[in-house]
Amino acid sequence: MNTVLFCVYAAVTLVAVIFTALREFHMFQLNGYKTPEHTRWMLKNKKRYIWMIFLFCLQFSLLYTGVNIVMVTGFTLFNLGLLIFNRPGKKFKKPLVYTARVKRMLVTFFIFIAVFYVLAVLLAKENRTVYIDRIWNEAHTDFTYSDKYTKVKWFGRPISYILVGSSLLFTPLLVLLSNFVNKPIEKAVQNWYINDAKRMLKDMPKLHKVGITGSYGKTSMKFYLSELLSSKYETLKTPESYNTPMGVVKTIRMFMKPTHEYFICEMGARRVGEIKELCDIVSPHDAIITSVGPQHLETFKSIENVTNTKFELADSISPLGKIYLNGDNEYIRGKAPNYKNAVTYGLSEDNDYRATDISVSETGTEFTVTAPDGETCKYSTKLLGEHNVQNILGAIAYAHGTGIPLDKLVLPVRRIQAVPHRLQLLDKGGGVTFIDDAYNSNPNGCRAALGVLKLFDACRILVTPGMVELGAKQEELNREFGREAAEVCDYIALVGREQTVPIFNGIKEAGYDMSRVYVADSLGDALAKVQAYQTDKKKIVLLENDLPDNY
């Protein structure tokens, strides 16, 4: 009987460990395999771990109360519930990717789990008399030997159950420990791939490499510049949001060809030094810095650190290279005089490349570009908003600097498509059009998106969970976002009851009709509410930011 009971409990707990571990590995991956970020995430989500500690304390009490069938059955059912809760099948926005690194970590993790189970089995076979003399008699001197022996004989040793339960309790920590133990291996693997990518770039001395970074706008700039340069040159860009060292390395090793003339490399960072790390791999000739703003302040700590990190790119280019800077950005403008090879672009008059006569409508945008030598050219694009003009202008400035005449860029600019999830206009029919800005999560971008929404003569609806990773300014900036949204929107649906409180308060402070604000538990809930709104006008729904699963 004791063997069957223990085996059932151990089996259920093991499956619960597996499912819990996969959920933890998923969150760890979303946190960029960074232990500090994941630790902060765990502290923010501590409610999800409190039950583990509570359950362990209950199991630890077995040492003093002895094992009984009711208690073990309760533990088993509890772990069965956890198993069901964490079972695979939930649809994630970005599911766990079983990369080689994750597979290696899983092997290490299960070695740790095996230690718990092996010890549990070995200790379960320890001489029962020794166990009784050492533990049971100390805690329960009023029982007879036969009573004590019966309890042990039928239900096994408490320490075995505690060890099995501990494997579940320590699963989140073992995920981090697996990463720590594997660090030398991962470092060696990464160095091999990085050196191979460097070798490939070194074998292409005629390849021109341009690095793009910024708090926002870098992905859009990359896509726009690729469209323009491809009109004359064989061009490779990092795909999607591949802006980490291994993402860049993967791009080089998988897609780089000897025929490529330009390599456009997006560079992202969450802490000081990470842009320099990317530059050490790519060795860019030129740089484009699209923006500096209050993003990832949880890791950067200050806007000064953000600015200095972005300019790590400017400090790393070749001596003959050029630095293209968004001269309308106050932080960039402050650093620009330090660089003699800087070329500025923007909407204000003191920029080298200027955009004027901007006309924005629901169908697109028209504008005129003036080059440093005074030459002008008129452009049109299907993209919406002045902020898109800024990024297109930066791409025009760089392409013109490579030798492409301004008039030869008119058709490529017209061909530019919206980057997926960045103010992408999607007509779903049924009187509803979506402006998909799901990948945006910064104050300037949110403000620009509201400006685009304001262009439409329609029922304007905002769906958002707000902004994250803004450090101490997060509440203040979300509150301001709420006030700005109140001036534009006919209806507002907030996704998430906790993180949207500052936005809700900002909307309320603006004197908005709060009966038109809906706080949803999920994106699906919010979209269902949007569909239910009755209006005579066509609905324009702005999807502003879509938080990843770890939020």
Side-chain angles (χ1 to χ4, degrees):
M1 178 63 181
N2 61 317
T3 303
V4 174
L5 190 66
F6 177 75
C7 288
V8 171
Y9 172 73
V12 170
T13 304
L14 180 60
V15 178
V17 165
I18 293 171
F19 290 173
T20 302
L22 292 178
R23 184 69 63 88
E24 288 296 316
F25 273 108
H26 182 204
M27 296 300 108
F28 189 57
Q29 188 177 72
L30 290 177
N31 286 317
Y33 301 107
K34 304 290 187 183
T35 298
E37 273 87 336
H38 191 68
T39 303
R40 279 193 292 270
W41 178 85
M42 291 174 70
L43 290 173
K44 282 185 179 179
N45 295 271
K46 53 183 175 292
K47 290 180 180 178
R48 116 192 221 127
Y49 302 107
I50 289 176
W51 62 265
M52 287 181 159
I53 299 171
F54 176 71
L55 181 62
F56 178 74
C57 291
L58 283 179
Q59 290 176 332
F60 196 79
S61 68
L62 289 174
L63 282 174
Y64 302 98
T65 61
V67 181
N68 64 73
I69 192 168
V70 175
M71 186 174 288
V72 174
T73 301
F75 291 153
T76 304
L77 291 175
F78 189 94
N79 290 347
L80 182 63
L82 178 66
L83 181 159
I84 295 171
F85 177 77
N86 284 328
R87 71 189 185 282
K90 179 181 176 181
K91 290 184 178 180
F92 291 103
K93 299 166 188 174
K94 187 177 180 181
L96 173 64
V97 181
Y98 289 92
T99 61
R101 178 173 185 171
V102 168
K103 291 175 182 177
R104 288 190 290 267
M105 287 178 63
L106 282 169
V107 170
T108 304
F109 172 81
F110 282 113
I111 290 174
F112 289 136
I113 295 300
V115 171
F116 280 92
Y117 275 74
V118 169
L119 286 174
V121 171
L122 291 176
L123 291 175
K125 294 181 179 180
E126 187 179 343
N127 183 277
R128 292 190 178 95
T129 303
V130 173
Y131 164 67
I132 292 170
D133 291 342
R134 188 177 67 235
I135 297 178
W136 191 265
N137 283 342
E138 293 177 2
H140 296 276
T141 56
D142 56 328
F143 281 74
T144 65
Y145 181 88
S146 59
D147 288 334
K148 289 174 283 187
Y149 183 79
T150 301
K151 286 182 181 291
V152 176
K153 177 181 179 181
W154 283 100
F155 300 111
R157 296 194 62 229
I159 191 64
S160 298
Y161 288 94
I162 291 171
L163 281 167
V164 170
S166 296
S167 68
L168 180 57
L169 170 70
F170 292 115
T171 287
L173 298 178
L174 291 177
V175 169
L176 295 178
L177 184 59
S178 300
N179 180 61
F180 177 77
V181 169
N182 283 16
K183 264 190 175 181
I185 299 173
E186 298 306 327
K187 189 66 177 176
V189 171
Q190 288 182 9
N191 285 341
W192 189 91
Y193 285 125
I194 288 172
N195 289 332
D196 190 52
K198 286 182 176 180
R199 176 193 58 78
M200 292 179 65
L201 293 177
K202 190 176 181 179
D203 290 342
M204 299 179 65
K206 293 184 179 180
L207 178 70
H208 207 90
K209 297 160 288 187
V210 52
I212 300 176
T213 192
S215 297
Y216 44 88
K218 55 184 176 292
T219 302
S220 297
M221 174 68 77
K222 173 183 66 179
F223 276 89
Y224 303 164
L225 181 59
S226 177
E227 183 70 44
L228 302 193
L229 289 182
S230 295
S231 65
K232 182 177 180 179
Y233 306 105
E234 187 76 17
T235 304
L236 173 67
K237 67 178 182 299
T238 50
E240 300 174 0
S241 292
Y242 278 39
N243 57 22
T244 63
M246 297 316 294
V248 171
V249 166
K250 183 177 180 180
T251 301
I252 295 168
R253 297 185 69 252
M254 290 186 65
F255 305 112
M256 186 69 73
K257 298 177 182 178
T259 55
H260 281 128
E261 298 171 274
Y262 275 83
F263 176 42
I264 304 171
C265 181
E266 179 182 346
M267 299 181 173
R270 300 171 75 96
R271 55 172 59 80
V272 175
E274 290 188 343
I275 296 296
K276 177 66 167 58
E277 182 182 357
L278 285 160
C279 290
D280 289 343
I281 297 171
V282 178
S283 298
H285 296 94
D286 300 319
I288 301 176
I289 302 179
T290 62
S291 59
V292 172
Q295 197 169 23
H296 301 312
L297 287 179
E298 284 189 353
T299 49
F300 278 119
K301 305 302 181 185
S302 70
I303 194 68
E304 290 77 19
N305 285 340
V306 177
T307 306
N308 292 334
T309 301
K310 301 309 176 186
F311 273 85
E312 289 174 0
L313 174 57
D315 295 331
S316 301
I317 67 169
S318 63
L320 299 178
K322 291 183 178 180
I323 307 165
Y324 291 79
L325 303 174
N326 177 359
D328 290 342
N329 184 280
E330 60 176 312
Y331 302 107
I332 293 177
R333 195 165 55 246
K335 295 273 286 187
N338 298 332
Y339 299 88
K340 295 180 180 179
N341 50 350
V343 177
T344 60
Y345 64 88
L347 311 186
S348 56
E349 291 185 4
D350 54 348
N351 286 299
D352 297 315
Y353 283 86
R354 292 182 292 116
T356 56
D357 303 324
I358 300 172
S359 174
V360 184
S361 68
E362 295 180 16
T363 58
T365 307
E366 293 183 350
F367 57 98
T368 299
V369 171
T370 302
D373 61 2
E375 181 186 0
T376 63
C377 189
K378 191 168 185 176
Y379 297 91
S380 64
T381 175
K382 291 174 284 188
L383 305 185
L384 306 173
E386 285 190 356
H387 70 293
N388 272 321
V389 172
Q390 216 167 38
N391 285 326
I392 294 173
L393 175 61
I396 290 172
Y398 186 87
H400 186 240
T402 68
I404 305 177
L406 290 181
D407 61 338
K408 296 296 184 182
L409 295 171
V410 172
L411 287 178
V413 167
R414 194 175 299 165
R415 286 197 299 263
I416 289 175
Q417 300 290 325
V419 180
H421 310 298
R422 290 172 173 83
L423 285 179
Q424 184 181 19
L425 207 59
L426 303 172
D427 194 341
K428 296 295 185 179
V432 180
T433 297
F434 287 94
I435 303 174
D436 184 356
D437 201 33
Y439 279 8
N440 177 39
S441 61
N442 64 84
N444 287 40
C446 289
R447 191 172 296 113
L450 289 173
V452 170
L453 182 64
K454 193 174 182 179
L455 294 172
F456 291 85
D457 180 19
C459 178
R460 299 186 290 261
I461 304 172
L462 170 66
V463 177
T464 183
M467 299 173 285
V468 295
E469 295 187 346
L470 297 175
K473 290 181 173 289
Q474 184 163 307
E475 182 173 348
E476 173 192 341
L477 292 171
N478 274 299
R479 186 186 294 265
E480 179 61 26
F481 178 36
R483 287 193 288 265
E484 293 171 353
E487 297 177 3
V488 175
C489 305
D490 296 302
Y491 293 95
I492 299 173
L494 303 177
V495 182
R497 297 191 178 275
E498 292 186 13
Q499 79 267 11
T500 59
V501 170
I503 307 176
F504 185 91
N505 292 336
I507 296 169
K508 192 173 182 180
E509 289 170 5
Y512 193 77
D513 180 358
M514 300 307 289
S515 66
R516 292 174 174 259
V517 178
Y518 180 69
V519 182
D521 292 318
S522 65
L523 179 60
D525 180 18
L527 294 179
K529 184 66 175 180
V530 167
Q531 292 289 347
Y533 286 136
Q534 299 297 319
T535 175
D536 296 332
K537 293 183 177 181
K538 182 177 180 178
K539 298 175 188 175
I540 300 291
V541 183
L542 172 61
L543 302 177
E544 187 61 20
N545 197 9
D546 185 13
L547 296 181
D549 298 293
N550 49 327
Y551 286 97

